[in-house]
Amino acid sequence: MNSMHSTGAGSGTHGARRGGAEIFRLFERLLDLLSKLSLCVSGIGMVVLTVIFGWLVFGRYVLNATPTWVEQVALLLVSLIGFVGASSGVHERSHLGVSFFRDVAPRPVQRVMELLTYLIMGGFGLVMMVQTYKLVLFKWSTQIPLIDLPEGLRAVPLTFCGAACLLYSIGHLIRFFREKTPDPRNQS
């Protein structure tokens, strides 16, 4: 019977807020994990890109037989490295950040700018995800020359980047609305 009726600190509005905070912390941890995985994938892609270009140079100048597949694989890897890695910059709030005007503005204006930034980035991520997914589907039936992989693979990192930007922006928006606006009278 006790399990059906809860009493104490966990009940009512306080318990709902605490549960929401725990869900948000879990969501933040998942976003942190996604960002770290994205950086790892980008880093591994960079290592593979370096190795295959080393093979290209070795094949061309030592074996006198240029591996023709390297260019196509390199184009795939550059897309992977660039877009998957860039999505982590959105999570860390370090990607293409121009903060001069925000930093010199009064705190209420800064908050509006932050909100607009998160909304615009979320909208951009949504559009990018949807449109590049359509591109993936459209190009999937054709093959990349020399490596016989679907041409749609070139747009998969863009679709991932759009989805990640959308998720990271949602996380920023939740944090934005959860954080209390500081009282300007208490700031020195």
Side-chain angles (χ1 to χ4, degrees):
M1 191 92 163
N2 285 343
S3 64
M4 294 178 72
H5 302 287
S6 63
T7 59
S11 65
T13 308
H14 179 67
R17 271 192 239 135
R18 191 174 56 179
E22 289 176 20
I23 291 171
F24 180 63
R25 278 195 296 275
L26 175 63
F27 183 61
E28 278 189 318
R29 282 193 297 245
L30 290 173
L31 292 179
D32 288 342
L33 178 63
L34 180 63
S35 178
K36 287 176 184 172
L37 285 173
S38 297
L39 290 174
C40 285
V41 167
S42 294
I44 291 168
M46 186 67 84
V47 169
V48 171
L49 184 66
T50 303
V51 168
I52 66 170
F53 268 108
W55 178 251
L56 174 74
V57 170
F58 181 77
R60 179 176 292 160
Y61 295 108
V62 175
L63 301 177
N64 208 20
T66 303
T68 55
W69 54 270
V70 171
E71 181 182 346
Q72 295 299 327
V73 173
L75 289 171
L76 282 172
L77 287 172
V78 166
S79 176
L80 178 88
I81 293 164
F83 286 100
V84 173
S87 69
S88 291
V90 173
H91 178 61
E92 301 295 327
R93 291 184 255 174
S94 64
H95 184 61
L96 297 176
V98 180
S99 61
F100 173 76
F101 294 112
R102 185 194 66 211
D103 293 345
V104 298
R107 183 66 182 147
V109 175
Q110 288 179 6
R111 296 278 294 166
V112 169
M113 289 179 172
E114 287 176 34
L115 177 62
L116 286 174
T117 300
Y118 301 144
L119 289 172
I120 291 168
M121 281 305 299
F124 176 77
L126 178 64
V127 170
M128 183 179 183
M129 177 184 69
V130 169
Q131 295 303 317
T132 58
Y133 178 71
K134 290 178 184 178
L135 183 62
V136 168
L137 295 178
F138 177 72
K139 298 294 280 178
W140 199 262
S141 61
T142 59
Q143 299 293 306
I144 299 174
L146 303 173
I147 58 175
D148 293 328
L149 291 174
E151 185 75 40
L153 278 178
R154 295 187 197 272
V156 169
L158 284 78
T159 305
F160 172 83
C161 180
C165 287
L166 175 61
L167 287 173
Y168 296 145
S169 295
I170 290 169
H172 291 316
L173 284 167
I174 293 170
R175 188 177 311 105
F176 178 86
F177 287 113
R178 289 180 57 85
E179 105 187 351
K180 298 206 180 346
T181 306
D183 185 356
R185 292 173 288 172
N186 294 337
Q187 295 182 1
S188 49

